[in-house]
Each structure stands twice: as structure tokens, then as C-alpha cells.
Amino acid sequence: MAPAARDHVGIRHRTPPPHLYFVVSAVFHYLGPSFAVLLFARVPVLGVAWLRIVSAAIVFAAWRRPWGALREPLVIGWGVTLAAMNCCFYEAIHRLPLGTVAAIEFLPVIALAALGARSARNALALILAVGGVALLSDVQLSGQPLGFAFALANAGLFALYIVLAHRASRRRDMSGLTGLGAAMLIASVVVTPIGGWDVLRVAGDAVALLAGVGVGISSSVIPYV
């Protein structure tokens, strides 16, 4: 075999397995919120939500250029849901432990997975997943009632987000990250009158702004790449 062919084969065999992408996505999905909690000391809660959404929207706009999908009613609903979900999520983790909010957020995922279970193997995997979340999240039922209200609202919006994302993924004009990029742009418009003013209050804090961009990339870009 020629050296070039051997090199090509070697590169192909070194391709990371699919489950590694899942692990990296899961780690960054909650690494971003962990940073966000620390950032609350310098940026108001809804300002952090604005930084997360807008920074991710800018990345997707430059990368995917999803302009054609912006007028789709499905994408508009998806974007509005995305904006409301992130605002509720950050309001919840501002008042409750992140593990508790994450566990509550997982409830609609469990319900949707249970509805889609088709075999004993699927059911066993679901039971193991629920047990794993219970062990890792350290759920605490004490805390601010408003925090639980935001957490439950976030969970409901997350369920709607999953349904809308699934429908968008089945359309050819929104395949890959195109639909998500368009929804993120819609979300950035929706969240601006909600959290944009809070960012203006810290406009001179370059470290805080850069940290907010890092939260957006960690939470809303890397997990989907």
C-alpha cells in the first residue's frame, strides 16, 4: 500500500467515535451555566442571558448564514421559545442550585423519551439515565419558590424547544445547524428589550463582556458543533 493511502486509512481510523461528541456536548452544555452563575456577581441575570444568546447568534450568523429561514413561522416560534427558555433558566439558577434546576429541566426529556420507548432495552436505558441524573444532580427541594416557578417554566419551554427542533430537523431547508442559527437570531431580537439594558450597565467591563461571550460559546455553540 502506498504511503499516502496508508496515511489516509490511518486518519480515517482515528476519527473520534460518536459517543465522544455526545460527552463533550454534555460537558459544555452545563459548563457554560456554571460559568454564568459566577458571572452573576458582575452582570445582571438577564444581561447574562442576552450575552449568551447574542454571542451565539453572531457566531451562527457568520458561520451558517441562515437568512432564508428567518421568515419561517416554525423558526420564529422556535426563536421565541429559545429566548424565553434561556431567561427562565438563568432566573432559576440565580435562585436555586444548578443541579436542582438541571434535574427539573430533565423531566420533559424523560417524558418524551418514555413516550418514544419501543423496547425493553430503551426502557432500561431510560431508567439508568434517570438514576444517573438523580445521583449527579444532588436535587434540593428547599429554596425560593420563585426559583422553582422559573425552573418549571424552563422545563416546559425546553419540552417545546425539543418538539420544534425535531420538526425543523425534518425539513431540508433547515437541516444541520441552519434552523438553529436562524432561531438563535430570532431569539437575540426577542431577548434584547429584556436583557439588553442590563448589559449597557456593564458596557465598560471588558472582562465581564468577554466572559459572557465565553458562556454563549460554551453553552450554545460548542454543544451543537
Side-chain angles (χ1 to χ4, degrees), residues 1 4-17 21:
M1 183 181 295
R6 286 197 299 269
D7 291 342
H8 178 73
V9 171
I11 292 174
R12 184 172 57 189
H13 283 306
R14 288 196 295 270
T15 300
Y21 289 103

Side-chain angles (χ1 to χ4, degrees), residues 7-84:
D7 291 342
H8 178 73
V9 171
I11 292 174
R12 184 172 57 189
H13 283 306
R14 288 196 295 270
T15 300
H19 54 268
L20 180 59
Y21 289 103
F22 175 80
V23 171
V24 172
S25 174
V27 168
F28 276 94
H29 184 72
Y30 286 107
L31 186 63
S34 299
F35 291 148
V37 171
L38 299 176
L39 190 57
F40 290 159
R42 303 181 70 158
V43 182
V45 176
L46 294 178
V48 177
W50 186 92
L51 286 169
R52 169 181 174 169
I53 293 172
V54 172
S55 59
I58 291 172
V59 172
F60 281 120
W63 177 26
R64 305 297 299 188
R65 302 182 184 278
W67 318 121
L70 289 175
R71 296 181 181 179
E72 294 290 338
L74 176 59
V75 168
I76 294 173
W78 189 7
V80 172
T81 301
L82 181 60

Side-chain angles (χ1 to χ4, degrees), residues 74-75 78 161-176 178-180 183:
L74 176 59
V75 168
W78 189 7
Y161 171 89
I162 292 172
V163 172
L164 294 174
H166 176 66
R167 290 181 180 177
S169 68
R170 300 174 69 179
R171 293 184 49 170
R172 183 172 299 178
D173 58 335
M174 298 183 198
S175 60
T178 300
L180 177 60

Side-chain angles (χ1 to χ4, degrees), residues 51-180:
L51 286 169
R52 169 181 174 169
I53 293 172
V54 172
S55 59
I58 291 172
V59 172
F60 281 120
W63 177 26
R64 305 297 299 188
R65 302 182 184 278
W67 318 121
L70 289 175
R71 296 181 181 179
E72 294 290 338
L74 176 59
V75 168
I76 294 173
W78 189 7
V80 172
T81 301
L82 181 60
M85 181 182 72
N86 276 279
C87 289
C88 288
F89 178 73
Y90 281 128
E91 290 286 5
I93 64 175
H94 180 55
R95 295 170 171 83
L96 300 174
L98 177 57
T100 299
V101 177
I104 295 174
E105 184 181 56
F106 193 64
L107 292 176
V109 179
I110 296 172
L112 292 173
L115 291 173
R118 294 292 182 269
S119 66
R121 181 179 180 181
N122 293 151
L124 177 61
L126 180 60
I127 292 171
L128 292 174
V130 172
V133 170
L135 289 173
L136 294 174
S137 59
D138 187 26
V139 177
Q140 299 178 27
L141 298 180
S142 61
Q144 298 183 36
L146 185 58
F148 284 100
F150 277 120
L152 290 170
N154 170 65
L157 290 165
F158 187 45
L160 180 59
Y161 171 89
I162 292 172
V163 172
L164 294 174
H166 176 66
R167 290 181 180 177
S169 68
R170 300 174 69 179
R171 293 184 49 170
R172 183 172 299 178
D173 58 335
M174 298 183 198
S175 60
L177 295 175
T178 300
L180 177 60

